Amino acid sequence: MPDSILRVLLIDDSRTQYVMVSDFLHIVSTATSEYTVEWAATYEEGKELLENNIYDVCLVDYELGDKSGLDLMQETVEKQISIPMILLTEHGNYALDLQAMYAGAADYLDKTTLKPKVLERSIRYATQNQRMLENERRQRLITEALLDTALALNSTLESDEVLERILVNMKNVIPHDAANIFLIDGKEVRLARSQGYSDEQIEVVTELLRRKAPKMNTLSEMTATGQPLIIN
């Protein structure tokens, strides 16, 4: 079983191109890295699949009927879809290379001279660069959240306002459906603030804390260690 499986979306009206790309990536697959290729034959089909945002990289043909691969790239930028895009064309020239760069392409490849190693290297660089950008973005969000929380702590004595800011900042850093903030005083645990819960659900949580909080191993461990607890 490979350590990683890269999901590749190819948007090209030629089935021959799909077969060739699949064969090339099969050739360069290793014991630690493997590729799965999904094919979209039209602009609209490719756009719909991209909106699922489940792919690691997208290879898109320049010529897609009435529209182009550059048009599709611009749409993904506008919709904030963070999949790196590699433009494929049979008419390579410097002007098109610049257009691809301005449209947000991670790379630009000439299909007439494409080789397995060249394709593998392009995908590898595009995905590695995307991971770096995502890590930088995440670190920036965490920093901004910590600064905003610190400002809230220093600017008001209203605990409810501070806790609400913490929940808002946490939502920006870690997307989630619901969250709680518990305050612990000795053996007493109190639900201080929550978001994403109905009134009925809050009543259930409150009653659970009243009856079982002292026996909850998760709370005991976090209280004892002062560290986060990650549960699979």
Side-chain angles (χ1 to χ4, degrees):
M1 185 73 178
D3 294 338
S4 65
I5 298 177
L6 287 175
R7 297 160 299 181
V8 180
L9 174 63
L10 172 67
I11 305 174
D12 194 304
D13 58 6
S14 169
R15 179 171 177 79
T16 301
Q17 187 71 23
Y18 164 64
V19 173
M20 185 186 77
V21 166
S22 298
D23 287 346
F24 279 5
L25 293 179
H26 178 72
I27 290 170
V28 297
S29 291
T30 65
T32 58
S33 181
E34 189 176 291
Y35 301 86
T36 63
V37 184
E38 190 164 345
W39 176 43
T42 67
Y43 183 98
E44 291 300 326
E45 184 184 354
K47 183 173 72 170
E48 184 177 344
L49 289 174
L50 279 171
E51 288 174 353
N52 295 329
N53 213 11
I54 61 172
Y55 302 99
D56 297 296
V57 66
C58 175
L59 309 173
V60 57
D61 190 20
Y62 175 68
E63 296 180 347
L64 293 171
D66 296 335
K67 294 187 177 181
S68 73
L70 296 180
D71 295 325
L72 189 57
M73 287 181 188
Q74 290 169 352
E75 284 204 51
T76 61
V77 171
E78 291 168 2
K79 294 180 179 180
Q80 298 184 329
I81 297 172
S82 59
I83 300 172
M85 309 276 284
I86 298 172
L87 186 69
L88 304 176
T89 180
E90 295 178 351
H91 310 288
N93 59 65
Y94 180 69
L96 186 56
D97 192 358
L98 286 178
Q99 290 180 50
M101 180 182 68
Y102 290 133
D107 204 352
Y108 167 89
L109 298 174
D110 186 342
K111 291 196 290 186
T112 62
T113 59
L114 194 59
K115 303 293 183 186
K117 282 293 184 182
V118 172
L119 180 59
E120 182 275 333
R121 184 171 63 247
S122 180
I123 290 175
R124 176 159 42 87
Y125 287 171
T127 53
Q128 287 177 349
N129 187 56
Q130 185 65 28
R131 281 194 289 268
M132 288 175 58
L133 292 174
E134 288 295 330
N135 287 336
E136 289 174 3
R137 175 180 171 277
R138 181 172 176 78
Q139 288 301 318
R140 186 172 65 253
L141 286 174
I142 292 173
T143 300
E144 290 172 355
L146 290 173
L147 286 173
D148 187 71
T149 301
L151 286 173
L153 288 168
N154 291 323
S155 63
T156 179
L157 296 176
E158 295 292 331
S159 61
D160 285 346
E161 183 179 339
V162 173
L163 296 177
E164 183 64 27
R165 290 274 284 277
I166 290 173
L167 285 175
V168 169
N169 286 325
M170 187 167 64
K171 181 81 170 180
N172 293 332
V173 175
I174 306 173
H176 58 269
D177 297 314
N180 297 318
I181 294 180
F182 299 139
L183 295 183
I184 302 175
D185 183 8
K187 292 185 178 181
E188 181 183 345
V189 181
R190 178 170 63 88
L191 176 61
R193 202 75 177 177
S194 67
Q195 67 177 12
Y197 287 90
S198 67
D199 291 341
E200 290 181 359
Q201 289 171 322
I202 290 175
E203 289 180 8
V204 170
V205 172
T206 302
E207 179 63 17
L208 180 66
L209 289 175
R210 187 186 67 80
R211 292 189 293 108
K212 295 189 176 181
K215 300 178 182 179
M216 294 173 69
N217 292 331
T218 52
L219 290 179
S220 298
E221 183 171 340
M222 287 187 287
T223 303
T225 64
Q227 297 294 319
L229 179 63
I230 299 174
I231 305 172
N232 289 332

